[in-house]
Amino acid sequence: MYFSLNQITAPRTGFVEFLELAKRVGCTGVELRNDLGRPLFDGMDPAEAGGIARDLGLRIVALNHLYAFNSWPPEQSPNAESLLDAAVACGAEAVSFTPRNDGIGCANGERQANLRIAIKAILPLLKQVGITGLIEPLGFMTSSLRSKAEAVAIIDTLEAKDHLKLAHNTFHHFLDGEDDLFPDHTALVQISGVVNETLTRSDMRDEHRVLVDDRDQLGTIDQIAALVAGGYRGPVSFECFAPEVQDSATIEADLKHSIEFIASRLRSMAA
């Protein structure tokens, strides 16, 4: 297990500055995003961007993301190919796929059929370039894929486990209320906390997602510990959308504090 930093946690930081921030706080990996309102890598050539990350000792654990991947019209293919090409060029280990999240395609039977169609379309692209695909179920009631078990069942049926893994998001796992963790199907764990005790599960939104500390309501550390106990050894990536995190003038110190808190709690639990 090692720490990583998702670019949404410091979205207004320039690309190189973001990499340097990740390095300073002790992260080994980064997740880079294409939904920040500016080009991926801030428009830098992908190969050059990947070289800068490697020079800093950082792994690009994923490019994030192809949205609505499970609503697969023909025009999705070029978007997937473009993201995969960028991943290959920069040396990323995976690309992330997130489901449609607007209340459409949520019906039983419909969502499974749509997921199967998408995986069948994506799988040859992943095999061709040798990049891992990460499916990230979203726990919102409007999501067309909430259940990891549902995704795993179709991945296994299509014998796609070597090429498609799960991104386990501690926030969305809590929202969905799913018990199973599937550590052997997981290649990325994205973490955040919710500290507002007045929120019900159904009230929680991305803007409530902060760094993990002792006030966390999601059981994030318990989730990490259970995944590690199940054999997970990959990146644990901070993905925080709360404005108070994104705009913090002390983001570096905040991240260091959260990393030490999580590491200390995990050490205590393992003792």
Side-chain angles (χ1 to χ4, degrees):
M1 193 200 86
Y2 59 92
F3 288 103
S4 177
L5 187 61
N6 187 300
Q7 211 171 0
I8 200 65
T9 305
R12 283 168 281 285
T13 304
F15 172 70
V16 175
E17 290 78 13
F18 170 76
L19 297 181
E20 292 171 341
L21 171 65
K23 178 70 173 180
R24 288 196 304 272
V25 301
C27 288
T28 305
V30 289
E31 281 184 88
L32 305 177
R33 302 185 70 102
N34 60 1
D35 61 349
L36 300 179
R38 60 185 196 263
L40 188 63
F41 318 117
D42 287 356
M44 186 180 297
D45 177 78
E48 182 182 358
I52 295 172
R54 287 189 295 275
D55 287 345
L56 288 168
L58 295 169
R59 300 164 64 169
I60 301 177
V61 300
L63 299 188
N64 191 329
H65 58 114
L66 181 69
Y67 171 69
F69 83 99
N70 58 336
S71 179
W72 189 272
E75 58 267 23
Q76 277 283 50
S77 182
N79 295 332
E81 291 172 2
S82 176
L83 190 62
L84 286 166
D85 287 345
V88 170
C90 76
E93 298 170 16
V95 295
S96 178
F97 301 107
T98 55
R100 188 164 184 159
N101 185 35
D102 58 2
I104 295 174
C106 299
N108 191 32
E110 181 184 17
R111 62 178 185 270
Q112 294 93 339
N114 287 341
L115 180 57
R116 180 182 290 266
I117 289 168
I119 288 177
K120 283 185 172 181
I122 289 168
L123 196 54
L125 303 177
L126 296 173
K127 289 179 178 179
Q128 183 177 353
V129 298
I131 294 287
T132 299
L134 301 174
I135 293 178
E136 182 188 350
L138 303 179
F140 300 122
M141 294 302 297
T142 51
S143 171
S144 56
L145 176 62
R146 301 183 71 222
S147 166
K148 289 185 291 296
E150 210 162 85
V152 165
I154 295 176
I155 289 170
D156 286 349
T157 298
L158 296 177
E159 299 181 344
K161 186 181 176 183
D162 289 344
H163 305 280
L164 275 168
K165 303 291 186 181
L166 296 176
H168 176 105
N169 188 299
T170 59
F171 172 77
H172 289 294
H173 179 79
F174 178 82
L175 291 193
D176 181 51
E178 197 168 23
D179 291 327
D180 293 333
L181 296 172
F182 305 102
D184 59 328
H185 281 79
T186 301
L188 174 65
V189 176
Q190 296 166 320
I191 63 171
S192 55
V194 173
V195 298
N196 187 335
E197 297 180 6
T198 68
L199 295 170
T200 65
R201 195 177 303 222
S202 60
D203 289 333
M204 292 180 182
R205 297 290 182 267
D206 278 335
E207 60 265 28
H208 301 124
R209 296 170 61 181
V210 297
L211 293 168
V212 178
D213 61 21
D214 58 359
R215 300 169 295 164
D216 177 39
Q217 305 295 304
L218 306 180
T220 295
I221 291 177
D222 289 339
Q223 291 184 47
I224 298 170
L227 285 160
V228 170
Y232 180 73
R233 296 294 182 269
V236 173
S237 188
F238 289 94
E239 186 184 50
C240 303
F241 288 75
E244 60 264 37
V245 175
Q246 296 179 336
D247 297 330
S248 173
T250 58
I251 184 66
E252 183 173 335
D254 300 341
L255 280 163
K256 287 179 178 178
H257 176 77
S258 188
I259 287 171
E260 179 51 38
F261 171 77
I262 294 167
S264 176
R265 284 292 178 92
L266 291 173
R267 286 193 297 268
S268 297
M269 294 171 73

